[in-house]
Amino acid sequence: MVVISVARFTEIQTFIRNYNGLFVNCNLELESKFSEYSPDTLGSIVAKEVIQRVKSNHSKLTARAASMVKEFQTLAKQTPTAQDILQKMAIEWRIPSTVLCRIFLAKFYPDASKSEINEMLRMPDLIPDSLLAVNVSCCLYSEIMDGPITDLVRRFIGEEYEVRLKKMAREAGMVFYDEGDLRRTGYDKTPDLKMAVPFMYRGQVINWIESKASFGDMDSHKRYVKDQLSSYGNRFGPGIVIYWFGYVESIADCPDNGNYVIVTDGFPDKDEMEFLTFNLPVLEEEDPQKQGAGS
């Protein structure tokens, strides 16, 4: 069970916020300092912190894009073969290097469309400026918090846990509809599983289950409730959200949950669930002699 106290979670946050270096090294040091938690849990906490940091700083970065490009060009003249100029600038700003790459590519090539920028980030060989291409390539293959490779890994992990959820639900004997089933019937916002036959969990009727292959912190949980979970609750009734990499204990009692959202860090145990049973009437076979007598 991975439920982290508010005090311990604050310690982890403070470490991340004070760290100055590559995120891959931040993860390794976190794993050493907070060894009681899995790399998946700690990596997910770092990712949430970094996403929030990027959102907070993005407007400042965009506003300073021109001066940063000049700085890059000055450093390029001093060290024409340097592959880590962008990476060092990203460390200074304490953001993912690929975020900085997108800003630089848009500034270097203002006529390029968003899709063309993404293509250059995905395939740095397409970038006309050779030094910028080398720097972007360095960032692409060393960054673990953002970029096309990271996005692909996260998508695969999310899909893996959705498949795992369905497998566990079938093994438990649940009868359910998945997202594809619901969308075919016209629903727009859909949980991962909608129970065709509700079940009881710790005395509560459960109508749906949502899978999150991430750590549940208060900020992201409130967004999920607002954007997704509350609509499931209003439409279908109470349900479960599973944070597979754990959660901070305070979100279990978050007022935003209302009576509709139950937070767990794994699939419910068998002894915590109760399924409806249907006792069909047993039809007695008629006696052939009575049939003959009545004819």
Side-chain angles (χ1 to χ4, degrees), residues 140-174:
L140 177 64
Y141 296 112
S142 62
E143 184 56 66
I144 64 168
M145 287 295 147
D146 180 76
I149 296 174
T150 302
D151 291 344
L152 191 63
V153 169
R154 286 177 181 162
R155 182 164 65 83
F156 285 158
I157 291 173
E159 290 176 356
E160 175 194 341
Y161 277 89
E162 286 181 21
V163 170
R164 183 181 300 190
L165 172 62
K166 291 178 186 178
K167 182 174 182 291
M168 297 174 83
R170 290 190 187 99
E171 289 175 349
M174 294 179 181

Side-chain angles (χ1 to χ4, degrees), residues 54-69 93 95 99-100 102-104 106-107:
V54 170
K55 286 180 179 178
S56 300
N57 290 331
H58 198 270
S59 59
K60 296 177 185 177
L61 288 165
T62 305
R64 288 198 55 184
S67 62
M68 287 192 293
V69 167
W93 277 88
I95 60 169
V99 171
L100 202 58
R102 288 190 186 91
I103 294 172
F104 267 65
K107 201 67 181 175

Side-chain angles (χ1 to χ4, degrees), residues 244-286:
W244 293 102
F245 301 156
Y247 60 88
V248 62
E249 61 181 357
S250 55
I251 72 170
D253 301 317
C254 175
D256 296 34
N257 294 342
N259 298 318
Y260 296 123
V261 180
I262 298 168
V263 179
T264 73
D265 66 333
F267 193 81
D269 292 332
K270 286 184 178 180
D271 58 0
E272 295 179 308
M273 295 186 291
E274 184 179 347
F275 293 93
L276 295 174
T277 56
F278 298 94
N279 296 318
L280 297 176
V282 178
L283 298 178
E284 295 182 2
E285 292 186 9
E286 293 189 20

Side-chain angles (χ1 to χ4, degrees), residues 110-126:
D111 296 329
S113 65
K114 186 176 180 180
S115 61
E116 288 171 329
I117 295 294
N118 288 335
E119 191 71 3
M120 284 191 277
L121 181 61
R122 192 174 67 85
M123 300 178 65
D125 290 346
L126 298 174

Side-chain angles (χ1 to χ4, degrees), residues 217-241:
D217 65 279
M218 184 59 80
D219 289 340
S220 62
H221 178 68
K222 284 185 174 182
R223 284 196 300 274
Y224 287 141
V225 172
K226 180 182 177 183
D227 297 340
Q228 295 178 301
L229 307 181
S230 62
S231 66
Y232 304 160
N234 291 331
R235 182 173 293 171
F236 303 122
I240 290 172
V241 55

